[in-house]
Structures are given as structure tokens and as C-alpha cells.
Amino acid sequence: MSIAKTYLPKETEEKWYSYWLKHDFFKSVPDEREPYTIVIPPPNVTGVLHMGHMLNNTIQDVLVRRARMKGKNACWVPGTDHASIATEAKVVAMLKERGISKADLTRPEFLAYAWEWKEKYGGIILEQLKKLGASCDWDRTKFTMDEDLSEAVIDTFIHLHKKGLIYRGIRMVNWDPQSKTAVSDEEVIRKEVNQKLYYIRYAVKSESREDGKTESTDAATDLQTSELPDYLTIATTRPETIMADAAICINPNDERYVHLHGKSVYIPLIHRTIPVILDEYVTMDFGTGCLKVTPAHDLNDYELGQKHKLPVIDILNDDGTLNDKAQILIGVDRFAARKKIAVLLEEAGALEKVEDYKSQIGFSERTDAVIEPKLSMQWFCKMGEMAKPALDYVLNGEIKLIPDKFINTYRHWMENVRDWNISRQLWWGQQIPAWYLPNGEFVIAKNAEEALVEAKLKNPAFTAQDLTQDPDVVDTWFSSWLWPISVFGGFKDPDNADINYYYPTNDLVTAPEILFFWVARMIMAGHEFRGEVPFKNVYLTGIVRDKLGRKMSKQLGNSPDPLDLIAQYGADGVRVGMLLCSPAGNDLMFDESYCKQGSGFANKIWNAFKLVKGWEVDDTLANPNSIAIDWFASRFDQALGQIEDNFAQYRLSEALMDTYKLVWDDFCAWYLEMIKPVYQHPIDRATYTATIQFFENILKVLHPFMPFLTEELWHDELFGERAEKECCIVAQLPVIGEINARLLSEVETVKEVIGAVRNTRQTKHIADKEPLELLVKTNSGINYLQYQAIIARLGNISRFSEVTDKVEGAISFLASTDEFYIPFKEEINPVAERARLEKEKEYLLGFLKSVNAKLSNERFMSNAKPEIIEIEQRKKADAEAKLQIIQKALDDLAD
């Protein structure tokens, strides 16, 4: 078939993705092969493709395609997460547009709308992943609220409650006033914001008070006295919470406030008295050294309040407005109340000053609302018992974190784990299987029928009407922590063929920010329900940032649309662009130029293929290119070893760069130039056949990174007729053959010679078409005559010969330890020549220093392969020999 002038990604991608789907290349069923399994980190059902998804799923697809080409039964399970908070917010917004309020709906009515929204919009991101080339087994697509997955969640809740690991109680939680639900610590984003620091005066209660007077009258009398009242000044960023104050705390060692020990003060505006308490928790040199204690609205204050048995006064409604307990500004939003209270305090003479202040506050990851610490009745799961084996799996290496720098972070989290708040005040999700009885007790059961059975054990008189199910749902992560098990039906049928074959999975690719609240919890669930790890390796990607180092976000406007990038540069170009700058665990400094580079790489391969395809073959010609063919065969196998090694260590970026250099530099820039026939002349059959075989193997190595381009070229007639399912996607990767290390080393020197000749032409302004004579004084033992044809062709050398002495009046250069001379009718400037030699000497001394440092590094010497050490030792010997030659030349100039 004819080949297009340039690579056309769009039509190629559509053609081959449909072909792969039609012929079930992504489909996996258990068989006799070794399984390779990845479960996708399920994106939110509300999600659309962003740059983080692009990176994560490109890495997964590379790993899956590579496993498939290694003969493994590759299974990549896709799916989405129901994302309780985010989805409920989307549905509420949809209803608002229709003039419907959630408050006017029953739960079943609301859920009907939620499922309607999910069916319409919930699969968008999975369709977008197909544009990237994701080779998921789409028949296995799961949703965390599928019937069997939801059943697994309920069964898990019941199991853990029976073990005493789930309990109900009042605790301080992170409250999202916008979605009106608790959120986990991990769903709180800390941001530095500009605030105000309010210095508020609390009047000290006088000892001369007469009993029987109300606090408000006493305070009014105090404030009207002609004597200066005694005040305590408190600095706070939240004056709207003073009505919830339960005490003022000072350090018992603070000499400034000794006279206040045992005293009380009045809360401004409402004139309620609160005690002054003593605790070393207060830092004397921070602020005024006095702390207002508000147990209902701050976690640390709550713990301090528990210690000192202080009352808990919650003045906020679920939506962040002030309630009746605030006594003033009832029904006003907390932030509006802050401004109004500042005015009231100033009018009352209780506001000393206001300062600008920067501090970190928490925002809801889902709604971006400011988080409110709030005491709430919630369901919790004890983590301590499950955390220990999950930590051991990582510390003993059964699960590898890549890179391993995250092990210490993981250890810190797991050793300081807190109980997990698993209830959410929402309707979208798995409803908590708890039923409340009229006597205040509750029962845990899978459904209402089983709940009634349990209830009758407590009191036979109970009827179904006496039972009320808890309205809350479980945290979304409480379903996704079961993901590696539940997607294979491991709860409904713990001994089914899929779970026994595919579990544990091989690799998990995810982001470090969910290492604890998803990865760690999956490890806990794997141990609890299967008695083994859920995966063997966790590849942790970095954050995608722009070239200025800023995290990509819609708010900053610095995040390109991935689909626009694919439309412009092709999926293969974008995949290469993403991977070129994405070492594991390190942030990716993304620039669109990387995608342009990836697109350029695709075109380079396309043009190289066109070049080879355009050659005519003459079967009567002898093969003049045996050296070039042998060299590239060894170079290919050497690169294949480096690529394999990088994949084994999950250095995907380095593996791609090795592949990139192999194709662009070694194959296109050197090999093809070495063997390319003279314009409009034929090529011999042996060289042609070898080159086609090289190209076919290159396509195989490239395929995991660039699936569309490689599949397109794979089916060209150049390679002969392919069977219907004889596709690149399932072609077996090449096996590393024997490597001729000497040949590789010598050709590197030959390339150095050619480079020096070309550089001489450039610096001396000698036209490329003008033939040159090249002489060599050999010190290394290389037989340059066997490379004469390559040197003559690529350097345009008319005569190449060996000499035994230095050639006077010629341009000279070194390659390895050999001395080369180009006779040239030009007077050598001794000053310029000395400067050139000194510069080369300085470079070699620096190079030798770095090589010696590596060879004297015990860690390098003990971990590096013998052949790598040998290469470094050879570099050292060459550098030392070159230095001797340069020093001799410098000495000759001095004579």
C-alpha cells in the first residue's frame, strides 16, 4: 500500500482502536498464562479527563501493553467511583435548574434523579480515556454503586461491626457547611489565606460582686465604673465564635497573669462569665499569651475542654449560620457574622485593634467551602488493629512503594493512624445498615427484614414500623477500599475463578496524596478479607505542574484540555510528551513543547519508514554493510537491556528516553545513514532484509509508548501479509541477544571521528561536498580499515590511511586515544592551538574527576552491574591516555 506523506493521527487512532475492540484484544479471561492485572484508580463519576488522569492512565496503559507483549494475560479493569459529595452537588444543581429543591423530594425520588444524571454524564471520562488509547477490558467496567459492589460494602460494614471495629459516637469532625456533611481529614485542603487578627477585651469579674446579681447586670456595672476595669486581651481570627467560649486559658508559669488565677471573665456582647483556667498547653510568647477555649468549634479546644470538663456550646447550624445558642445574630452566616461582630465589639469598646494576618485554614476538597470543626454523632471505624499488618507488608517488602522515599511517610501515617469517620450526611451512596428502635437502641443488619429479626430478639413486640434506618451513607472511600477484591466478585463468591486468578493484582498506579486514605486502606482490606496483599507494587506519580512549577488547575487557567492536545499532537505524541518528563514520585513540569517533541518523534519514525519503503532491491548486489548491520544488532540488544532494566525498576521515563535515543540517534541518524544507498541506486537484499527486521523490532519496542503509529506501520505491505489478528498489540517483544561489546565501543569511537570531521568542516568553513583526506596514528589498537567505508561515506573522506608519526601542519583531533590529522593548507596559530588544547585538557580533568568519584563510591560499586563498572573503568583509562597525548602536544608547542 502507498504511505501518506505525513503521519495522520486522527484517522489512524480511530481505525485501530475500533479494530482492537472488534477483535477483543483488550479482553481477558482466566487461562493457563501468567496473569498481569491492574485495577484502575476509579475516577469520580462526575469527572472529565485532566492532565493528572492523562499521566496516570498513560503509565497504566504502557505497563499493560508491555505485559501483553510479553505473553502475559493482561487484564486492566476500568470503572468509576460514585463520589457521594461531588455527585450529590451536581444533582442538586441540576434540580435547581429545573426549579426543584432537594428538600421537597423523598429519598427515593432524589435517587431516581441521581441515577438519571449518572446514566447521562457518568461515563464521559471513560470514553475520553479511549481517545488516549487505554486498552482496558471494557466488558469488566465497574461502578462503585453496582449492585454487587454495594452489597460488598454493606457486608463489610456488618463484618467489621461484629468484630467491634465499627462504632457510633460524638466526635469532632471536619464539617462541610455547603454539602452539610462530614468529610475526612484527607479531603481537607490546607490553604494559606489573608485574614484579620482581632484583639478582643474580656472584662475580669470583680471579687466585690454581691451574690444574687445576674451576670449581665454585674458586667454592666463593671463596664460603667469610673475605675479602669481589668481586662484580658485575646487575639483571634474568629470573633464570631466568642459566644461559644467556655474558658480563657493561660500558662500557669506566665507571671503576667498570676493575679488572674481562679478568676472569671465576661464574654463581650453577651456578658456570660467563663473561668480562667491554667494549662501549659498555652504558649506564653505567642500572641497575648491568652487562649479563648471554644470546645465546640476547634479540635484542640475540644481536647482541652475534655481535660478541664468544660461545657460544649455549639452555636452553628449545619449550614454555617448562627443558631439560638449564639444569643445574637441568629440565622446570620458565620462570615457575615464575623464582620457584624467586629462592629459590635468596637461599639462596645471591647475591640482593642485589628491586624492583618496570614494563616492556614482548611477547605473542602469537594466544594471548596471553608471547613468548620464540629461535634457530631458519626460512625467510625477503628484503624489501629488493621494498620499494623498493612504497615508490615510495606516494611517487609511484600508491597513495594515506588519510589521508596514514600515509605517513611507511609510509616508515619500508619503509626499515628486515627479512627476513620465513615458516615456522610448524604443520600447518594450506600446507606448505613443501622436501624434505630424506639428505646434508643439500634441493630445492624443487611436489610429491613433481617433488621426486624434482630429487633425482635430485643423485644418481640417490635414491628417494621418501629424501625428507622440511619439516613447517612458510608464514605465513598469505604467502597473504593474494597476495589481490588470487589471488581472480581471476591465478596459475593470468595472462591470464584476470577478472584483466584487475577488477585492479588500486580501494579497500582496512583498519586501520593491518596497513599493513606486509599492505598493504605486497600492494603488493610486485602489483609482483612483475603489474608494477603491486594497488589505487589505501587507506582506513585507526581503532580502535573506547569513550567513555572504551579499545580495545574482550572482556577489558574494553566491546564490545557487533554483532548485538545490529542487533537493537535496525536495521542502518541501526547503520551510521549507526558512520559518524557515524568519520573516516578517526582512532579512533572509539563510544557506543551514536550507534546510537540512527541509529535515530531512520530513524524521522524514515519519519515524513516518512508525512506526504507522507497528503496529498490537488487538481488545481484553483495552486502557492503555487514559491519553496520552487526553494530546495530548489538546496539539494539544493548538498548533493549537498558530498557528492560529501567522497566524492572519502574523508571518509565528513562525507558522511553532509551527507546527515543535508540530510534532517533542510533537507527535514524547513524544506521540508516551508514547503509542508505546512493540516490536513485538500489540496495542489496541482505541489508534490506536486515533493516526491515530491525524496523519491525523497533515497532515492537515502541508499541507500549506509541500504540497507534506502530500498529499502522506494522500492517504495511513492507512486512508482508499479516493475518487478521497478527497485530503489533500482541506481537511478542524481542529477546535480548548476544552483544558485541568491542564492536559497540569501536563504533562509538568511529562516530566520534565522524563528528570531529564534521565539526572541522564547520569551524574551517569547508563545504560538505568537498572531499577530505584523513590520517590516523593508532594508539588504541582499533583496526580503522574495517570502518573505512563508514568513515569515508559519512565524513566524505577521499583517502583514509594510517601513519606512524605526527603529521605537521595538519588539523588534528583525538578520538579515544588515537590521533587524527586532516591535511589542510592553513598556517596553525600556536596561540589558538594552545588555547584549544588547554580547554580540552580542562574538560578531560573534570570528566576524569567525575569518573573517579563514581568508581570510589562504595554504593555504586556494590550495586552497579559488572559491565557498567567496566565501562566506567574504560572511560577512566581513555581520559588518562588522552591527557597524556594532549600534554605532549602542549609540550611540543612550548619547544
Side-chain angles (χ1 to χ4, degrees):
M1 67 180 186
S2 61
I3 186 167
K5 185 177 179 181
T6 57
Y7 176 51
L8 303 172
K10 188 174 187 299
E11 59 187 55
T12 300
E13 290 160 11
E14 290 174 353
K15 175 173 71 175
W16 289 113
Y17 201 85
S18 298
Y19 192 91
W20 292 329
L21 286 175
K22 178 183 175 182
H23 292 90
D24 289 333
F25 283 117
F26 305 161
K27 190 175 181 62
S28 175
V29 293
D31 60 23
E32 73 287 348
R33 290 174 295 168
E34 177 188 347
Y36 176 82
T37 317
I38 287 183
V39 292
I40 201 169
N44 286 352
V45 73
T46 58
V48 292
L49 199 64
H50 60 59
M51 296 302 286
H53 294 133
M54 287 279 284
L55 173 62
N56 185 288
N57 288 281
T58 295
I59 291 168
Q60 290 179 81
D61 195 50
V62 168
L63 294 172
V64 166
R65 286 179 181 272
R66 182 173 163 79
R68 196 179 283 124
M69 296 179 77
K70 280 183 164 286
K72 296 179 183 178
N73 189 347
C75 180
W76 183 9
V77 181
T80 50
D81 187 284
H82 63 275
S84 294
I85 298 174
T87 305
E88 188 147 324
K90 292 278 188 182
V91 176
V92 168
M94 177 188 76
L95 292 172
K96 187 176 181 181
E97 289 178 1
R98 299 183 187 181
I100 304 171
S101 170
K102 177 187 172 184
D104 296 332
L105 298 174
T106 64
R107 189 181 195 121
E109 288 171 339
F110 177 82
L111 290 177
Y113 283 115
W115 280 106
E116 174 194 327
W117 186 94
K118 184 265 177 187
E119 293 306 317
K120 186 173 182 180
Y121 301 106
I124 289 176
I125 191 167
L126 297 184
E127 290 303 310
Q128 290 174 326
L129 284 176
K130 294 176 182 179
K131 298 287 186 185
L132 184 65
S135 57
C136 302
D137 184 347
W138 298 109
D139 292 340
R140 291 183 175 274
T141 302
K142 294 293 184 179
F143 176 51
T144 50
M145 279 181 62
D146 286 344
E147 185 177 349
D148 54 335
L149 272 68
S150 288
E151 185 179 4
V153 170
I154 301 306
D155 288 344
T156 297
F157 188 102
I158 295 169
H159 167 83
L160 294 176
H161 184 267
K162 284 180 178 177
K163 285 189 70 174
L165 296 179
I166 284 181
Y167 64 93
R168 186 170 181 255
I170 296 176
R171 299 288 186 277
M172 182 72 72
V173 298
N174 301 302
W175 188 261
D176 180 341
Q178 185 170 322
S179 58
K180 299 178 187 174
T181 182
V183 295
S184 67
D185 290 344
E186 297 78 24
E187 292 168 307
V188 177
I189 308 299
R190 307 296 299 182
K191 300 179 188 177
E192 185 173 75
V193 297
N194 294 317
Q195 296 195 87
K196 300 289 185 185
L197 194 60
Y198 300 85
Y199 288 79
I200 303 173
R201 295 169 177 162
Y202 287 64
V204 178
K205 183 176 180 181
S206 165
E207 290 182 352
S208 61
R209 303 229 173 263
E210 296 177 18
D211 292 335
K213 292 185 178 181
T214 65
E215 292 173 357
S216 60
T217 304
D218 289 342
T221 304
D222 268 357
L223 292 171
Q224 293 167 7
T225 182
S226 59
E227 296 181 13
L228 284 174
D230 189 3
Y231 288 106
L232 265 182
T233 302
I234 310 297
T236 181
T237 58
R238 303 196 62 193
E240 73 278 10
T241 64
I242 63 173
M243 295 84 76
D245 288 351
I248 299 295
C249 188
I250 57 177
N251 192 299
N253 303 311
D254 195 333
E255 296 180 356
R256 293 172 296 174
Y257 302 118
V258 172
H259 65 291
L260 294 176
H261 291 190
K263 302 276 188 176
S264 297
V265 298
Y266 293 98
I267 299 174
L269 303 181
I270 64 170
H271 311 308
R272 176 167 56 80
T273 57
I274 54 175
V276 175
I277 63 173
L278 309 177
D279 201 292
E280 292 186 353
Y281 170 78
V282 178
T283 305
M284 290 186 285
D285 57 359
F286 180 77
T288 63
C290 303
L291 174 72
K292 65 190 282 300
V293 183
T294 315
H297 299 289
D298 182 273
L299 178 59
N300 294 324
D301 287 9
Y302 175 73
E303 292 174 353
L304 199 59
Q306 292 290 294
K307 179 179 177 181
H308 292 273
K309 296 183 172 54
L310 299 176
V312 178
I313 306 165
D314 186 349
I315 62 165
L316 291 177
N317 294 313
D318 288 350
D319 62 359
T321 58
L322 273 62
N323 62 27
D324 294 347
K325 293 178 183 176
Q327 300 181 39
I328 57 175
L329 302 178
I330 297 166
V332 177
D333 178 77
R334 54 187 169 152
F335 295 120
R338 180 176 299 177
K339 294 178 180 178
K340 293 186 180 209
I341 283 178
V343 173
L344 293 174
L345 288 169
E346 189 168 18
E347 291 174 350
L351 186 62
E352 188 172 292
K353 62 179 178 176
V354 180
E355 293 178 345
D356 290 331
Y357 185 69
K358 280 189 176 181
S359 68
Q360 295 255 335
I361 61 174
F363 289 79
S364 170
E365 183 184 38
R366 303 303 181 196
T367 65
D368 205 37
V370 174
I371 289 296
E372 191 65 49
K374 182 178 176 65
L375 279 174
S376 179
M377 177 67 80
Q378 301 282 342
W379 290 92
F380 294 88
C381 182
K382 295 178 183 177
M383 293 277 95
E385 180 181 320
M386 290 188 283
K388 188 180 184 310
L391 175 57
D392 290 341
Y393 281 133
V394 170
L395 294 184
N396 66 24
E398 286 187 67
I399 295 176
K400 290 182 171 60
L401 301 186
I402 304 157
D404 59 9
K405 68 179 183 179
F406 288 105
I407 292 176
N408 286 336
T409 303
Y410 181 84
R411 182 208 294 265
H412 174 76
W413 280 338
M414 301 303 276
E415 289 179 345
N416 297 278
V417 68
R418 297 171 64 178
D419 288 356
W420 177 10
N421 172 13
I422 59 172
S423 49
R424 298 291 180 266
Q425 290 63 57
L426 302 163
W427 282 352
W428 177 246
Q430 290 92 4
Q431 193 170 355
I432 287 175
W435 276 261
Y436 299 104
L437 310 175
N439 61 2
E441 293 184 273
F442 62 83
V443 294
I444 303 296
K446 195 164 185 175
N447 50 48
E449 291 75 19
E450 292 183 15
L452 182 59
V453 172
E454 293 292 325
K456 286 183 174 293
L457 294 176
K458 296 177 179 291
N459 186 338
F462 283 141
T463 66
Q465 287 68 39
D466 293 321
L467 275 64
T468 304
Q469 188 173 0
D470 194 309
D472 290 356
V473 296
V474 291
D475 179 14
T476 304
W477 297 105
F478 198 80
S479 58
S480 58
W481 78 320
L482 309 176
W483 188 248
I485 305 173
S486 59
V487 295
F488 295 117
F491 287 94
K492 190 170 186 178
D493 183 3
D495 199 33
N496 76 76
D498 275 3
I499 193 75
N500 287 336
Y501 182 73
Y502 293 114
Y503 189 95
T505 66
N506 295 78
D507 297 322
L508 179 75
V509 181
T510 189
E513 57 261 32
I514 57 174
L515 176 58
F516 173 67
F517 68 115
W518 188 48
V519 177
R521 288 171 180 164
M522 282 191 289
I523 299 172
M524 294 179 195
H527 179 78
E528 179 68 25
F529 299 105
R530 298 292 300 181
E532 60 182 327
V533 300
F535 30 70
K536 297 162 189 172
N537 304 291
V538 181
Y539 181 105
L540 297 158
T541 65
I543 296 170
V544 183
R545 299 184 182 276
D546 64 18
K547 57 186 176 183
L548 299 177
R550 302 174 303 174
K551 184 176 180 180
M552 285 191 166
S553 67
K554 290 181 181 177
Q555 289 80 2
L556 287 176
N558 64 344
S559 181
D561 185 326
L563 297 182
D564 289 345
L565 291 176
I566 290 174
Q568 184 171 358
Y569 300 107
D572 289 336
V574 174
R575 288 164 68 110
V576 168
M578 295 292 288
L579 289 176
L580 279 174
C581 51
S582 58
N586 292 321
D587 290 352
L588 183 159
M589 299 303 176
F590 179 81
D591 189 295
E592 198 168 316
S593 63
Y594 287 114
C595 294
K596 187 176 182 180
Q597 183 179 352
S599 176
F601 186 42
N603 283 317
K604 182 74 172 179
I605 298 162
W606 189 264
N607 290 334
F609 187 82
K610 278 197 330 180
L611 174 69
V612 175
K613 186 177 171 65
W615 290 341
E616 289 187 14
V617 181
D618 185 340
D619 288 319
T620 67
L621 293 177
N623 174 15
N625 298 306
S626 58
I627 290 287
I629 292 168
D630 290 346
W631 165 73
F632 188 75
S634 275
R635 176 67 194 108
F636 180 88
D637 287 331
Q638 182 189 49
L640 198 59
Q642 293 166 343
I643 293 164
E644 290 280 352
D645 186 56
N646 279 319
F647 266 110
Q649 298 182 61
Y650 291 83
R651 296 195 297 249
L652 271 65
S653 183
E654 289 87 341
L656 172 59
M657 186 51 69
D658 285 338
T659 308
Y660 187 98
K661 289 177 179 176
L662 172 69
V663 176
W664 192 294
D665 296 341
D666 299 311
F667 185 69
C668 295
W670 287 105
Y671 174 74
L672 291 183
E673 291 301 313
M674 289 176 187
I675 58 100
K676 183 171 67 175
V678 176
Y679 181 61
Q680 291 190 333
H681 283 67
I683 193 168
D684 66 280
R685 175 64 66 183
T687 301
Y688 187 68
T689 301
T691 303
I692 291 173
Q693 184 60 56
F694 288 152
F695 220 125
E696 186 171 84
N697 281 334
I698 282 171
L699 293 180
K700 292 178 184 179
V701 175
L702 277 169
H703 181 82
F705 302 111
M706 308 177 80
F708 295 108
L709 170 69
T710 52
E711 195 71 82
E712 175 73 7
L713 294 178
W714 179 265
H715 292 271
D716 189 90
E717 62 190 13
L718 181 70
F719 299 112
E721 189 176 346
R722 304 280 194 195
E724 187 178 44
K725 288 198 171 186
E726 191 183 352
C727 293
C728 194
I729 189 175
V730 288
Q732 294 301 289
L733 284 171
V735 177
I736 301 170
E738 188 175 342
I739 298 171
N740 186 334
R742 181 182 178 85
L743 178 61
L744 288 173
S745 176
E746 290 186 355
V747 171
E748 283 306 304
T749 303
V750 168
K751 287 161 65 177
E752 194 178 339
V753 172
I754 294 166
V757 170
R758 290 171 175 175
N759 184 59
T760 298
R761 289 182 180 277
Q762 187 176 5
T763 56
K764 300 300 181 183
H765 306 290
I766 304 170
D768 290 342
K769 64 181 180 181
E770 182 180 338
L772 295 174
E773 184 180 357
L774 182 64
L775 310 173
V776 58
K777 180 177 179 291
T778 306
N779 302 307
S780 65
I782 295 175
N783 177 12
Y784 284 100
L785 293 179
Q786 66 177 328
Y787 302 110
Q788 182 173 353
I790 293 173
I791 295 172
R793 175 177 188 147
L794 299 186
N796 192 10
I797 301 300
S798 59
R799 176 171 169 261
F800 181 69
S801 57
E802 295 183 340
V803 295
T804 55
D805 295 312
K806 178 181 178 181
V807 179
E808 299 293 340
I811 300 168
S812 65
F813 60 85
L814 288 172
S816 181
T817 57
D818 301 321
E819 303 166 58
F820 290 83
Y821 302 94
I822 301 175
F824 192 63
K825 294 177 182 178
E826 180 184 62
E827 196 69 32
I828 299 296
N829 183 332
V831 176
E833 183 66 6
R834 173 174 284 279
R836 184 185 71 81
L837 291 169
E838 289 285 3
K839 185 176 181 181
E840 191 167 353
K841 178 181 176 181
E842 182 182 357
Y843 166 77
L844 283 169
L845 287 170
F847 177 77
L848 187 59
K849 183 179 179 181
S850 67
V851 172
N852 282 330
K854 193 176 286 187
L855 290 171
S856 61
N857 185 315
E858 290 184 14
R859 185 175 179 184
F860 170 78
M861 296 298 287
S862 59
N863 293 326
K865 293 181 178 179
E867 56 266 32
I868 300 297
I869 295 173
E870 184 182 345
I871 289 170
E872 294 301 320
Q873 289 170 335
R874 197 181 309 132
K875 286 179 183 178
K876 177 182 179 181
D878 284 352
E880 289 172 341
K882 282 183 179 180
L883 281 168
Q884 288 180 0
I885 294 168
I886 289 172
Q887 189 58 52
K888 185 177 184 306
L890 285 168
D891 294 343
D892 290 344
L893 284 171
D895 291 342

